Amino acid sequence: MKSVSLMLLRVGIGLLILIWAIIKLAATEAAIGVSDTYYGGILSDPTLQIVLGALQATLAVAVIVGLYRRVTYPAMAALIGIGILPIWQSIVDPLGVIFGQDNVQILFFPSLTVFFATLVMLAFRDEDTLSLDARRGA
């Protein structure tokens, strides 16, 4: 049951990362809008979005199949962890009690669960026996 649960967690989070990558690649303007809104426009260059999307898609596929987990899992945790920094108010106060309802988005709160799930995957990566790494003995 543990190995199946870890595989399902890996596939689910990998697909989430892949969806983010597809948005960067196929809906670059939408990705730029996210950059403008949450990251101060630091990632708003269309070419940069395509490069980041390609890198993110590569990471997502590696995570989904469980390849190079000693590198891809920390990279995934960093990506998701950095991604929740700009929405910290929605994590701390999802109901808008402290910061006001106009300053938070309750739909961002599950990002914390996704981040914690990456930490679980990282902690138990050696027990994910259904990964490609496990199959190749790495």
Side-chain angles (χ1 to χ4, degrees), residues 55-120:
L55 291 171
Q56 201 166 341
T58 302
L59 174 65
V61 170
V63 166
I64 289 168
V65 299
L67 186 61
Y68 306 119
R69 292 172 300 149
R70 298 225 178 268
V71 175
T72 58
Y73 283 13
M76 173 183 58
L79 177 70
I80 293 170
I82 290 167
I84 65 174
L85 289 176
I87 58 168
W88 70 271
Q89 290 177 321
S90 295
I91 303 298
V92 172
D93 181 28
L95 300 176
V97 174
I98 300 167
F99 301 113
Q101 291 182 351
D102 292 338
N103 296 315
V104 297
Q105 173 55 261
I106 196 167
L107 294 176
F108 290 154
F109 188 75
S111 300
L112 186 63
T113 304
V114 173
F115 178 65
F116 289 161
T118 64
L119 298 180
V120 168

